Amino acid sequence: MLLAADVGNTNVVFALFEGREIKARWRIATDPRRTGDEYAVWLIHLLDIEGFAKKDITQIIVGSVVPRAIHNLTVLAEKYFRVTPLIAGQAPADWGIAVDVEEPNSLGADRALNTIAAHEKYEGDLIVVDFGTATTFDSVDFNGAYKGGIIAPGINLSLDALVNNTAKLPRIAIKHPANDSVIGRNTEDQMLIGVYWGYVAMIEGLIARMKAEIGRPAKVIATGGLAIMFDEHTDMFDAVDADLTLEGLAILAENVSA
């Protein structure tokens, strides 16, 4: 079985694959200081709870946007699973896609993996919107080449900035407002309207501009934890694919084994 680790700025998601099927997944807060031993105590216990053993894992792949985390995950793989991990984007697990931008080496692992998975699963030109710590919008052409995109603050970052830099505004939960009115009658409603509907307007506006610039029909694929919440109130997404980044890791590992 394949153990895939998707290291984001906020969380590390581990997924256990049998072929392309995810059999189990676990999430832990990202901390570059967390040692391989600490990962092992946590992960091996969770494997046991799900009915799996260390020996079931024959391949490990790591995709990371946090470079400092790679060493400790390598220690985890080699010390506890006796496996040399594949590092996404490094030989032999090179991207295998054209990265048609001015600074190809700066492309984040998550965005490259999303590109790989989206092109394999969906036809034609694509726009991939990933709701993470940052919200990214990526253009993938019909040949599977990464053509560039947009990086915007994630909605949680936006809310943190609003609350942390004002004296009286309260902390609120991110959710769909109680109704579709955009004229709030109290402070919390006004904040929620600004954050939620402001974000929907940004999503719709940026996608419309990207489609116009691409100049050909483009499907929009949404991924990341908040994709479903926004999908309920915009018709801009052609598909919501929560596991796109993990699937990109599985495809990359499969290509190495082929």
Side-chain angles (χ1 to χ4, degrees):
M1 301 181 78
L2 168 72
L3 179 66
D6 171 24
V7 185
N9 287 298
T10 303
N11 293 303
V12 183
V13 180
F14 290 88
L16 193 61
F17 281 88
E18 190 168 50
R20 294 285 184 89
E21 183 182 357
I22 296 177
K23 291 296 192 178
R25 78 184 75 209
W26 307 279
R27 182 181 300 264
I28 192 170
T30 301
D31 183 350
R33 300 169 300 174
R34 184 172 285 113
T35 67
D37 298 329
E38 289 174 306
Y39 277 118
V41 169
W42 173 80
L43 183 59
I44 293 170
H45 180 60
L46 290 172
L47 281 166
D48 183 62
I49 289 173
E50 296 282 353
F52 299 103
K54 288 194 299 179
K55 64 180 177 58
D56 295 329
I57 295 171
T58 57
Q59 190 178 32
I60 295 175
I61 186 166
V62 177
S64 179
V65 297
V66 184
R68 286 177 58 204
I70 293 175
H71 170 73
N72 289 328
L73 288 166
T74 299
V75 171
L76 167 72
E78 293 179 343
K79 181 176 180 180
Y80 290 95
F81 295 95
R82 302 292 190 264
V83 172
T84 299
L86 299 169
I87 307 301
Q90 299 179 18
D94 299 299
W95 298 132
I97 58 171
V99 182
D100 186 14
V101 292
E102 292 177 1
E103 300 174 336
N105 291 333
S106 69
L107 179 62
D110 52 347
R111 303 173 79 180
L113 292 164
N114 287 344
T115 297
I116 291 166
H119 176 66
E120 177 151 322
K121 297 180 69 176
Y122 305 95
E123 295 181 349
D125 288 272
L126 306 170
I127 296 170
V128 181
V129 186
D130 190 346
F131 294 91
T133 306
T135 297
T136 56
F137 301 73
D138 292 316
S139 174
V140 183
D141 76 6
F142 55 88
N143 290 315
Y146 177 82
K147 305 296 286 186
I150 299 165
I151 302 172
I155 191 168
N156 284 296
L157 285 181
S158 299
L159 180 58
D160 286 344
L162 182 64
V163 173
N164 293 336
N165 291 283
T166 54
K168 296 179 67 176
L169 295 182
R171 172 73 57 182
I172 61 171
I174 296 173
K175 59 182 181 180
H176 176 253
N179 55 60
D180 291 345
S181 172
V182 293
I183 301 176
R185 303 278 291 169
N186 59 64
T187 299
E188 290 191 10
D189 283 353
Q190 291 175 23
M191 291 175 64
L192 188 56
I193 289 166
V195 171
Y196 187 88
W197 288 120
Y199 220 74
V200 169
M202 180 192 76
I203 294 164
E204 293 177 341
L206 290 178
I207 289 173
R209 286 175 175 268
M210 289 182 73
K211 284 186 171 183
E213 190 165 335
I214 291 167
R216 298 181 297 270
K219 296 185 182 73
V220 180
I221 315 302
T223 190
L226 294 175
I228 293 174
M229 182 178 73
F230 287 109
D231 184 49
E232 295 174 357
H233 300 100
T234 180
D235 59 2
M236 298 298 287
F237 305 147
D238 294 289
V240 175
D241 197 330
D243 294 322
L244 203 62
T245 313
L246 291 169
E247 289 174 349
L249 283 167
I251 293 166
L252 207 57
E254 188 178 278
N255 291 342
V256 172
S257 300

